[in-house]
Amino acid sequence: MDGPRGASEGAIVTEVIDLGEFGDDFRRDPHPVYARLRARGPVHRIRPPSPDARYEAWLVVGHAEARAALADPRLAKDPSGVGATSLDEELIGKHLLVTDPPRHTRLRSLVTRAFTARRVEEMRPRIQRITDDLLDAMLPPGRGDLVESLAYPLPLTVICELLGVPEMDRTEFRQMSTEAVAPTSAESEYDAFVRLAGYLTDLIEDKRCAGPSGDLLSDLIRTTAEDGDRLSAEELRGMAFVLLIAGHETTVNLITTGVHALLTHPGQLASLRADMSLVDDAVEEALRWEGPVENATFRYAAEPLDIGGTPIARGDTVMVGLTAADRDSHRFPDPDRFDIRRDTRGHLAFGHGVHYCLGAPLARLEARTAIRTLLERAPGLALDGPPGDWLPGRLMRGVRSLPVRW
Ligand code: HEM
């Protein structure tokens, strides 16, 4: 991409902030940088933090502007409309996060019909059971890695059962899945997408051969078989991709950062332990305070527009900073304070507008179940050392491991 862009015929030169220059400190805690940016204005020209990301984008850090941008139809999700490309499209296929209405509306209504609130509610006893089983295995040694023992396997098992994904090599799957959302380099990201595309193609083929089995993927496949032009093979692979990947990578981080936040704020933990009915509020505050999705997926200006007084040219890439917006003091007073009793309404952790997270009820159910059951069964739960590395890249906010003892 070119250097600093003149906002209007070069009259105003916009400073480009290279987030990569803040190094590991920014990964560990980007909030001081976001606070400085918010103090200067709601929209900034940035270069994302990943080492080989040389492109520039607009980053929206103000809450009101972020919310408006997420719902603005002039900010398109389909990169092909503005001549851009994405690995998802190139290697996986069209899916919900790279399409706009009317195609997005069609895909969304198709999956909503299969992925109903009832289906999520029916998972409740199973989610409790999986949590109990994982804790049965985790608790006897007295110490361990929360990510490995609970936060990762719970959402992965749940989404696999919901979709009807058979037993897999979890270590290999975890490696390619996490690399796709939090890449360590451009090459390994590409490689992860290639391997995921192959994996999903085989998975769908196997399920097609196995015939209907009542799970979500098999329902989606059947819909294709009955009415071929409604969900193409490529769209089916895209749908499996968003459900399987978005369906667990995010929730892992919600459980982990939620527990981490509580363990580093003893007063808040004590309030919750004294009244476990506050667990829903604690999960909402974890979503607001350190949401798992740092920046929403790319949007592209389909026409020139203005965001918070900043002119955006047609074709420009826009990143909506969800975790930055959720620490905006204009929306949430004293935003850096983790406070499970605060009013968290309006947080943007699940996005906003037509792309609002499809799995929000499932994610909430899993996180509430995991955190409540963990605290009940491990009354002496405490940190057992510093958390592991924070995930790289611009998309996810979470740590690779969290040592705990009880
Ligand atoms: C704590 C957990 C989760 C968080 C924080 C989260 C966050 C988000 C966000 C921010 C978006 C919008 C992205 C954008 O507009 O660019 C989104 C979309 C989506 N999420 Fe989630 N998500 C979570 C869990 C889940 C789960 C469990 C599932 C599936 C079972 C899921 C499936 C999806 C899908 C399919 C979309 C695309 C919706 C569309 O474009 O219409 N998510 N999620």
Side-chain angles (χ1 to χ4, degrees):
M1 264 246 176
D2 53 0
R5 176 184 289 274
S8 61
E9 277 106 47
I12 307 164
V13 176
T14 308
E15 183 195 356
V16 180
I17 297 152
D18 188 346
L19 295 177
E21 281 182 4
F22 298 103
D24 286 346
D25 287 349
F26 182 71
R27 264 304 83 215
R28 271 191 297 275
D29 183 9
H31 297 293
V33 172
Y34 289 148
R36 290 207 296 277
L37 292 181
R38 277 194 310 272
R40 285 165 57 181
V43 181
H44 299 271
R45 188 86 180 146
I46 57 106
R47 205 168 284 130
S50 37
D52 35 19
R54 295 330 302 156
Y55 56 89
E56 291 173 15
W58 296 103
L59 176 66
V60 185
V61 290
H63 186 278
E65 294 76 10
R67 187 178 151 89
L70 289 168
D72 193 328
R74 295 170 299 176
L75 289 174
K77 299 290 295 140
D78 184 346
S80 57
V82 294
T85 53
S86 80
L87 276 188
D88 312 35
E89 261 206 307
E90 195 187 315
L91 298 170
I92 307 281
K94 288 278 185 199
H95 61 70
L96 288 165
L97 285 168
V98 288
T99 49
D100 298 298
R103 190 173 188 169
H104 171 268
T105 318
R106 206 189 93 240
L107 292 175
R108 178 106 184 188
S109 72
L110 201 67
V111 67
T112 316
R113 241 178 288 153
F115 188 24
T116 55
R118 188 162 148 226
R119 201 164 206 147
V120 172
E121 199 43 45
E122 280 169 4
M123 289 295 287
R124 185 183 287 275
R126 188 65 196 126
I127 290 170
Q128 185 65 59
R129 184 61 206 262
I130 298 166
T131 306
D132 289 339
D133 289 350
L134 289 167
L135 289 174
D136 284 348
M138 170 181 154
L139 293 178
R143 65 198 323 164
D145 172 14
L146 185 81
V147 178
E148 185 75 36
S149 314
L150 178 69
Y152 192 83
L154 173 64
L156 183 62
T157 309
V158 169
I159 198 67
C160 285
E161 289 191 6
L162 194 71
L163 286 173
V165 175
E167 274 300 307
M168 53 162 91
D169 179 341
R170 293 211 168 168
T171 313
E172 196 196 334
F173 182 79
R174 180 176 177 182
Q175 200 270 331
M176 66 183 170
S177 164
T178 306
E179 197 59 34
V181 293
T184 45
S185 72
E187 280 108 57
S188 65
E189 180 183 21
Y190 190 85
D191 179 58
F193 269 90
V194 170
R195 288 193 290 141
L196 266 176
Y199 172 79
L200 293 170
T201 305
D202 293 348
L203 172 69
I204 290 167
E205 201 40 46
D206 289 351
K207 289 205 73 75
R208 208 188 287 278
C209 293
S213 49
D215 55 60
L216 186 55
L217 200 50
S218 135
D219 279 5
L220 289 167
I221 290 170
R222 263 217 319 278
T223 312
T224 319
E226 281 160 14
D227 186 353
D229 71 348
R230 296 193 64 195
L231 201 59
S232 68
E234 190 216 11
E235 286 171 338
L236 192 54
R237 192 169 58 187
M239 193 69 86
F241 171 78
V242 276
L243 290 173
L244 191 54
I245 306 303
H248 80 281
E249 287 290 349
T250 43
T251 315
V252 177
N253 298 323
L254 176 56
I255 296 170
T256 311
T257 45
V259 171
H260 187 221
L262 287 165
L263 295 182
T264 47
H265 294 81
Q268 299 295 312
L269 178 61
S271 300
L272 178 56
R273 283 198 178 282
D275 178 3
M276 281 300 240
S277 72
L278 289 172
V279 71
D280 295 7
D281 302 307
V283 166
E284 291 313 301
E285 174 64 345
L287 283 160
R288 182 205 68 86
W289 192 71
E290 198 71 279
V293 180
E294 185 164 348
N295 297 294
T297 53
F298 286 150
R299 280 157 171 77
Y300 308 93
E303 56 184 88
L305 73 151
D306 180 287
I307 305 179
T310 302
I312 312 286
R314 183 181 183 278
D316 278 2
T317 303
V318 175
M319 274 166 48
V320 180
L322 304 179
T323 56
D326 280 342
R327 297 252 191 145
D328 186 340
S329 58
H330 293 103
R331 183 66 187 78
F332 300 106
D334 196 3
D336 293 330
R337 191 162 48 87
F338 177 73
D339 175 2
I340 64 173
R341 292 179 191 272
R342 79 158 68 231
D343 182 357
T344 55
R345 279 175 299 174
H347 74 66
L348 297 174
F350 288 119
H352 176 64
V354 296
H355 295 279
Y356 181 80
C357 179
L358 185 75
L362 178 63
R364 286 185 163 118
L365 178 58
E366 290 179 53
R368 290 167 183 173
T369 308
I371 293 176
R372 183 184 33 75
T373 315
L374 174 68
L375 293 182
E376 281 168 358
R377 290 190 55 185
L381 189 73
L383 287 179
D384 195 26
D389 288 343
W390 285 86
L391 294 169
R394 65 185 156 76
L395 195 60
M396 304 301 291
R397 190 89 193 108
V399 288
R400 291 198 193 272
S401 59
L402 187 68
V404 282
R405 61 190 154 76
W406 45 89

